């Protein structure tokens, strides 16, 4: 249903540029910004999307805001400016403070924590270096999608921020691996 969606992408580097390309190919309306004006202009000319001036990316109404540049960009001022339904991007440490995740939840904005979205590179690299196995990118994407679905469902059911639930789940997984206990997902023990 991408033809009916508007996505604002902050940052047109390697990851943000690929994201914009994928969204444009799927027919989404894309608005994007980058502090490197030359890079932004070149990509906009190639892919035909709307360029925004840096620092205005928080203001347009959109379905998804995808921060793919700097960390710490979700703070008191920007969270209030956002007019999106969801935040899902590849920038690290997007929240200036963890309590911003709760502010987003209170505003009805779905936030997918950056360390959940970015976990694919770690999974793939660790599996290769520890087991000599190369997991296909598509398989990793499905795995991250399933984890994200469970995370979002749990956060909704418990009326908690997705960041709190994701951190709790990460802590649980680390503790389970440290104690050599079998790892089962939180919530329904019959899902993997």
């Amino acid at each position: 249903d991408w033809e009916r969606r508007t996505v604002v992408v902050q940052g047109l580097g390697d990851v943000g540029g690929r994201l914009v390309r994928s969204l444009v190919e799927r027919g989404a309306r894309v608005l994007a910004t980058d502090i490197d004006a030359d890079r932004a202009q070149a990509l906009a000319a190639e892919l035909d999307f709307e360029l925004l001036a840096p620092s205005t990316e928080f203001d347009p109404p959109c379905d998804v805001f995808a921060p793919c540049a700097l960390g710490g960009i979700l703070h008191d001022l920007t969270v209030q400016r956002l007019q999106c339904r969801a935040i899902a991007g590849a920038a690290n440490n997007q929240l200036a403070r963890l309590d911003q995740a709760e502010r987003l939840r209170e505003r009805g904005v779905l936030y997918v924590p950056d360390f959940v979205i970015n976990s694919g590179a770690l999974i793939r690299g660790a599996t290769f270096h520890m087991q000599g196995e190369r997991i296909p990118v598509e398989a990793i994407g499905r795995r991250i999608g399933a984890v994200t679905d469970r995370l979002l469902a749990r956060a909704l059911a418990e009326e908690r921020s997705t960041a709190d639930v994701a951190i709790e789940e990460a802590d649980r997984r680390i503790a389970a691996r440290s104690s050599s206990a079998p790892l089962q997902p939180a919530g329904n023990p019959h899902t993997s």
Side-chain angles (χ1 to χ4, degrees), residues 65 67 74 86-95 98 100-102 104 109-120 144 147-153 155 160-170:
F65 174 69
L74 298 174
I87 299 171
N92 293 321
N93 304 313
Q94 297 162 9
L95 300 173
L98 188 56
Q100 295 302 337
E102 180 60 23
L104 291 165
V109 177
L110 176 72
Y111 171 67
V112 183
D114 52 285
F115 65 89
V116 174
I117 289 176
N118 293 336
S119 63
I144 293 170
V147 167
T148 302
D149 287 346
R150 286 194 305 270
L151 162 76
L152 299 177
R160 296 173 57 202
S161 80
T162 53
D164 285 345
V165 172
I167 290 168
E168 186 177 280
E169 179 64 12

Side-chain angles (χ1 to χ4, degrees), residues 1-9 18-32 47-51 61-66:
D1 202 12
W2 286 109
E3 294 84 10
R4 296 179 42 207
R5 303 291 174 222
T6 299
V7 180
V8 173
V9 179
R18 285 187 203 179
L19 176 59
V20 167
R21 183 177 305 282
S22 178
L23 291 167
V24 168
E25 288 172 0
R26 286 170 172 73
R29 177 176 178 237
V30 177
L31 296 82
L47 298 178
D48 192 31
F49 61 88
E50 184 178 338
L51 267 181
C62 62
D63 296 290
V64 180
F65 174 69

Side-chain angles (χ1 to χ4, degrees), residues 117-138:
I117 289 176
N118 293 336
S119 63
L122 179 62
I123 292 167
R124 193 163 199 244
T127 303
F128 176 73
H129 289 291
M130 295 171 72
Q131 299 172 359
E133 180 185 349
R134 289 195 190 275
I135 301 174
V137 173
E138 296 78 18

